[in-house]
Amino acid sequence: MPTLSIPPQSLLTLGVILFCLGLFGALTRRNIIIVLVCVELMLNAANINLVAFSRLGASPNLDGQVFALFTITVAAAEIAVGLALLLAFFRLRQSSEVKDMNQNKL
Amino acid sequence: MHFFASFTGSMTAFLIISVLIILCAIMLLSFRKVIYMALAIGGVFIGCAAVYILLGASFIGIAQVLIYAGAITILIMFAIMLTNHEAQEPPTKWSVKNIIIALGCALLGVALYLAIRHQTWSAQGTTVNQSSTVSNPVAIGMALFQQYTIPFELVSLLLIVGLVGAVILAQPRKEDEE
């Protein structure tokens, strides 16, 4: 495998920027779908860090990539349940906005 | 900027890919129509897959394209189509709450960036990330089924429970039909 000349700092900075953009979107957007998408963006930022350390960490090994796979699986389960909840909510209230999700009764 | 001195092919590729990823993420936050946002997140996912492949994690890269860019983006689009697909995000109002959130995110980002800058990193990851005789997917399979068997089985259980739960949640309820 050829040597890689990407400094770890720049990879981690990419992760930080993506995470902060995702956090901002998840806290300010009004559509529930977009909030879910922004959570996915944050999970992706974490994945970039995991894979980066699996290659460029102090002791490079495969653990980071295996954990990234687990994260991808959990993210898939999360988005499936989240979208199912969204559909059930839309059927009930005819709305997909966060501000309508503030009561705990039918 | 010391690393501009050693400008190599992989660094150039990484810079181009990361600029594209951040551009897609900003487009995701600035689009008004929800369906365009779903398209922009597809771009972010594909860019992340390119970064993984650049880092030598080809299996994760392909899995990212299949699961994220393929399945999850399409799932999100289906959800948008099944709900009000005309929905438009109002232009970002810079209310006090939003300004506080933006400042908090920027502060978090700057703090993390300073932490990264002040950390000393070992020179380069020159050593291989697998036993160099087998390819990356083979090595990941070995690690999954030898070292991480129980987490692997647990995560498959989680996936089954999640998908069955999603089907049950999304079913139309009996009392709604009557």
Side-chain angles (χ1 to χ4, degrees):
Chain A
M1 183 168 287
T3 57
L4 200 64
S5 60
I6 305 174
Q9 292 97 317
S10 41
L11 276 161
L12 297 185
T13 309
L14 174 65
V16 166
I17 293 172
L18 274 189
F19 185 86
C20 289
L21 284 175
L23 186 63
F24 176 72
L27 290 177
T28 55
R29 297 295 111 163
R30 291 171 57 186
N31 196 307
I32 306 167
I33 300 174
I34 300 308
V35 173
L36 277 174
V37 162
C38 287
V39 172
E40 293 295 311
L41 199 63
M42 290 157 74
L43 284 169
N44 250 297
N47 264 350
I48 287 181
N49 280 9
L50 285 174
V51 177
F53 279 123
S54 135
R55 179 72 195 270
L56 301 166
S59 62
N61 55 28
L62 274 178
D63 291 355
Q65 297 184 22
V66 172
F67 271 86
L69 266 185
F70 287 153
T71 316
I72 289 177
T73 322
V74 172
E78 176 244 325
I79 198 90
V81 174
L83 292 179
L85 280 173
L86 168 75
L87 284 185
F89 176 74
F90 183 77
R91 207 174 285 133
L92 198 64
R93 294 276 162 75
Q94 309 301 318
S95 156
S96 62
E97 297 214 345
V98 177
K99 65 177 164 54
D100 298 324
M101 291 185 106
N102 56 358
Q103 40 193 333
N104 208 359
K105 57 180 186 195
L106 285 178
Chain B
M1 287 310 212
H2 63 281
F3 58 77
F4 280 116
S6 59
F7 225 62
T8 56
S10 57
M11 188 65 204
T12 318
F14 170 73
L15 279 182
I16 293 172
I17 292 168
S18 53
V19 164
L20 283 180
I21 291 176
I22 293 170
L23 217 64
C24 276
I26 290 173
M27 277 186 341
L28 162 75
L29 290 182
S30 57
F31 275 143
R32 300 276 308 279
K33 280 197 165 183
V34 177
I35 197 82
Y36 292 166
M37 292 177 170
L39 284 175
I41 196 74
V44 174
F45 290 155
I46 290 175
C48 287
V51 170
Y52 299 155
I53 291 173
L54 196 65
L55 282 170
S58 48
F59 183 73
I60 307 287
I62 300 298
Q64 168 96 2
V65 170
L66 282 178
I67 298 174
Y68 270 111
I72 289 184
T73 310
I74 298 299
L75 202 61
I76 288 169
M77 284 192 179
F78 264 100
I80 291 170
M81 290 300 173
L82 286 174
T83 58
N84 47 350
H85 56 274
E86 301 282 302
Q88 286 209 352
E89 193 72 21
T92 315
K93 290 198 301 286
W94 290 106
S95 58
V96 179
K97 180 190 142 220
N98 281 4
I99 288 175
I100 290 175
I101 291 171
L103 280 180
C105 290
L107 207 66
L108 177 71
V110 169
L112 287 174
Y113 178 70
L114 288 180
I116 291 169
R117 281 294 298 273
H118 285 277
Q119 181 77 28
T120 49
W121 302 94
S122 61
Q124 278 302 323
T126 47
T127 46
V128 291
N129 61 351
Q130 61 240 5
S131 52
S132 75
T133 50
V134 292
S135 59
N136 176 265
V138 176
I140 284 190
M142 293 290 187
L144 266 184
F145 288 108
Q146 287 172 351
Q147 207 177 345
Y148 292 102
T149 314
I150 291 174
F152 178 77
E153 296 296 336
L154 284 179
V155 111
S156 64
L157 199 67
L158 175 83
L159 202 58
I160 284 287
V161 170
L163 294 184
V164 173
V167 170
I168 290 174
L169 277 175
Q171 267 176 353
R173 300 185 313 159
K174 290 266 165 36
E175 55 263 40
D176 288 347
E177 289 168 357
E178 288 159 5

